[in-house]
Amino acid sequence: MSDANKPTGAVEPDAGTTGAGTAGGPAAATGAAGSAGAGAPSGATTANDPAGAPDPAGSAPGRRVRVVLVDDHRMFRTGVQAEIGQTERTGVEVVGEAADVDQAVTVITATRPEVVLLDVHLPGGGGVEVLRRCSPLMADAEQPVRFLALSVSDAAEDVIGVIRGGARGYVTKTITGTDLVDSIFRVQDGDAVFSPRLAGFVLDAFASTDAPPVDEDMDRLTQREREVLRLIARGYAYKEIAKQLFISVKTVESHVSAVLRKLQLSNRHELTRWATARRLV
């Protein structure tokens, strides 16, 4: 499914984005791949967007970038499209949209955009699964597809997960339209772009010599199972989880059973201790 309490309109204001490194319209389905490795981003600079700023510098006259929007909220996609998709003004051409993992892979493969705006929480396995299935497209040396995560979540595990999966950056949905367009062009050029408050721990996670290894137990869980796990560990009842994630109570129960089985735990109390030990609460 998707992030809880996602905005459903145009992109809201943000403090800016952080970029680093060098390189380099609304349809129903499209895609291709870019070389965005899971290695550490190299350096960082901050670009703040003044209120009422003109069109982004990245969208120089005549410059174009083809983009696919992947988000399971149609109203949010419509808002982003309205905000950035005026090609003559922004240089951004939205060539496809998708609402889940399977649609995303189909659309991205068909249209081979330069940049994909990717939500982290999606039906079918989440943004990490899209990245995994599109890895050959990202590795294409001549026509790489690059991914920029656009999510309401600022959880460290979400950010690190998609960066390890190959995304070139991660910005939150509070970003301004101007900064989002600028971020898209930076990613097209091969830069690594992050919302300012996320950049620090991303750099620490990849640069630190004592960074924790990949958690194999967590990797066994799907994105939806991780969401349910966190809410269970926080003490939410099944009905509350179902309401927050827009799924049925029966589906919540199925996810909990799957998590317990995969982690070889017996009950929700053990699950809570397990999650607390990993600071997931």
Side-chain angles (χ1 to χ4, degrees):
M1 212 41 220
S2 78
D3 307 324
N5 303 318
K6 247 183 223 177
T8 56
V11 187
E12 300 172 1
D14 186 32
T17 56
T18 298
T22 51
T30 53
S35 154
S42 57
T45 57
T46 300
N48 292 320
D49 179 30
D55 296 339
S59 54
R63 187 173 182 189
R64 294 289 184 267
V65 58
R66 299 169 69 252
V67 172
V68 164
L69 306 178
V70 181
D71 192 291
D72 64 338
H73 280 149
R74 181 180 60 81
M75 289 295 289
F76 182 77
R77 296 197 310 271
T78 300
V80 173
Q81 162 69 25
E83 185 76 17
I84 71 172
Q86 301 174 40
T87 307
E88 292 305 313
R89 178 177 66 84
T90 65
V92 175
E93 179 187 3
V94 179
V95 297
E97 299 181 6
D100 60 33
V101 170
D102 288 340
Q103 287 180 15
V105 174
T106 298
V107 170
I108 294 165
T109 302
T111 57
R112 298 186 71 88
E114 283 88 26
V115 177
V116 177
L117 290 180
L118 179 68
D119 192 11
V120 174
H121 302 294
L122 294 167
V128 172
E129 179 65 12
V130 175
L131 292 164
R132 185 187 69 80
R133 291 169 61 178
C134 289
S135 57
L137 299 178
M138 290 190 286
D140 188 326
E142 294 185 359
Q143 190 183 356
V145 175
R146 295 187 167 99
F147 287 78
L148 173 61
L150 175 62
S151 176
V152 71
S153 171
D154 59 1
E157 61 268 25
D158 288 338
V159 181
I160 299 304
V162 295
I163 299 305
R164 279 185 174 139
R168 292 298 304 173
Y170 194 114
V171 295
T172 59
K173 289 182 176 179
T174 54
I175 191 171
T176 65
T178 299
D179 273 348
L180 181 57
V181 171
D182 182 65
S183 297
I184 289 169
F185 277 99
R186 287 173 183 249
V187 168
Q188 181 190 28
D189 288 339
D191 290 356
V193 181
F194 300 92
S195 291
R197 69 185 302 257
L198 307 181
F201 67 73
V202 171
L203 292 172
D204 289 344
F206 286 98
S208 176
T209 56
D210 58 353
V214 174
D215 191 325
E216 294 183 1
D217 289 331
M218 281 293 290
D219 284 350
R220 294 191 187 100
L221 306 181
T222 66
Q223 190 61 51
R224 175 60 74 193
E225 288 167 353
R226 295 183 191 190
E227 292 174 346
V228 172
L229 165 63
R230 281 194 293 268
L231 293 174
I232 284 288
R234 291 171 183 169
Y236 283 67
Y238 285 4
K239 288 184 179 180
E240 294 172 321
I241 297 173
K243 183 177 181 180
Q244 184 158 339
L245 298 181
F246 304 100
I247 57 179
S248 69
V249 173
K250 185 175 182 180
T251 300
V252 174
E253 292 173 348
S254 297
H255 285 314
V256 172
S257 296
V259 171
L260 292 173
R261 183 182 69 255
K262 291 179 180 180
L263 300 181
Q264 298 182 5
L265 301 174
S266 301
N267 52 56
R268 65 179 296 165
H269 299 295
E270 291 184 2
L271 187 152
T272 299
R273 287 196 297 271
W274 187 93
T276 301
R278 286 164 173 76
R279 300 181 180 179
L280 300 178
V281 182

